[in-house]
Amino acid sequence: MMMSPSLECDLKQAIRDIPDYPKPGIMFRDITTLLGDARAFRRAVDEMVQPWAGMKIDKVAGIEARGFILGGAVAHQVSAGFVPIRKKGKLPHNRVSIAYTLEYGLDEIEMHEDAIAPHDRVILVDDLIATGGTAEGAVKLIRQLGAELLAAVFIVDLPDLGGSDKLRKLDVPVRTLVSFEGH
Ligand code: AMP
């Protein structure tokens, strides 16, 4: 599911590149400039869910924190509910949680156990997929609750880090709008 070259170019220009952030060797893809550009923001939100437009979607799950901004807009766009997937210790009610690997060590994400019902049709949203560790954890949480994961959608793919392929191997349809080489 690739985008037209001109749209990819427009969205790419709206993303700011910050070298060596948060540490040397990392090129940080800063989407705050895209969010601040009314046209680019609307276009990105519309395009993320374009293949599923008109289908029944029960919930949009967004990954903390930039996935909340995009996921809230996507949920409104498709008339679905919004579900936050948060870092450990932030959600007040009964939770399901899963550990996932980071570059160094482990982290944990959580979701309210009643946020998604069995057989709900769910779309997962985040700003960027790199190694896919975070998104893979989110996929497992959503499936653990018995939901049907329709797709995982991101603005940015860093394909050299293998995350989007990792999700596709789990039979998750993946849609990304722009991709950058390297990491
Ligand atoms: P990963 O679990 O490796 O796929 O990392 C994905 C998460 O880390 C996303 O929520 C991104 O917001 C963030 N992230 C990873 N690499 C970058 C990068 N180069 N630029 C901006 N955000 C990044």
Side-chain angles (χ1 to χ4, degrees):
M1 284 185 238
M2 284 307 296
M3 299 303 310
S4 76
S6 66
L7 175 66
E8 177 168 8
C9 182
D10 288 352
L11 292 179
K12 248 182 178 166
Q13 281 173 2
I15 296 167
R16 176 163 56 192
D17 300 329
I18 316 270
D20 299 316
Y21 182 88
K23 52 187 180 186
I26 302 287
M27 179 66 84
F28 192 83
R29 307 298 176 175
D30 174 20
I31 63 143
T32 64
T33 42
L34 183 151
L35 298 174
D37 174 338
R39 227 177 124 257
F41 185 23
R42 174 177 283 279
R43 197 74 202 277
V45 168
D46 287 347
E47 286 295 337
M48 284 173 102
V49 283
Q50 189 275 327
W52 300 274
M55 290 186 197
K56 180 177 172 289
I57 301 166
D58 299 297
K59 296 281 160 60
V60 173
I63 301 174
E64 186 171 0
R66 280 162 276 166
F68 291 177
I69 301 163
L70 293 163
V74 167
H76 178 83
Q77 172 73 8
V78 300
S79 300
F82 177 78
V83 174
I85 297 180
R86 300 209 63 178
K87 307 276 162 59
K88 186 184 170 66
K90 307 265 188 171
L91 289 169
H93 192 57
N94 296 341
R95 296 156 300 268
V96 286
S97 60
I98 191 163
Y100 63 98
T101 42
L102 293 171
E103 204 174 342
Y104 305 103
L106 282 180
D107 210 343
E108 229 171 297
I109 47 173
E110 300 183 324
M111 200 167 60
H112 278 146
E113 64 178 11
D114 59 357
I116 288 175
H119 312 299
D120 269 356
R121 291 159 60 86
V122 178
I123 288 189
L124 176 66
V125 176
D126 202 0
D127 66 326
L128 178 147
I129 183 156
T131 67
T134 321
E136 183 183 15
V139 165
K140 289 180 177 164
L141 280 184
I142 290 165
R143 287 184 168 165
Q144 193 181 320
L145 292 176
E148 183 188 344
L149 184 61
L150 296 180
V153 303
F154 308 85
I155 295 179
V156 180
D157 188 16
L158 304 182
D160 297 342
L161 295 180
S164 42
D165 282 344
K166 186 189 283 184
L167 292 194
R168 290 186 180 108
K169 287 198 184 103
L170 294 171
D171 285 323
V172 180
V174 177
R175 179 168 171 86
T176 61
L177 306 184
V178 308
S179 59
F180 294 98
E181 284 177 19
H183 57 96

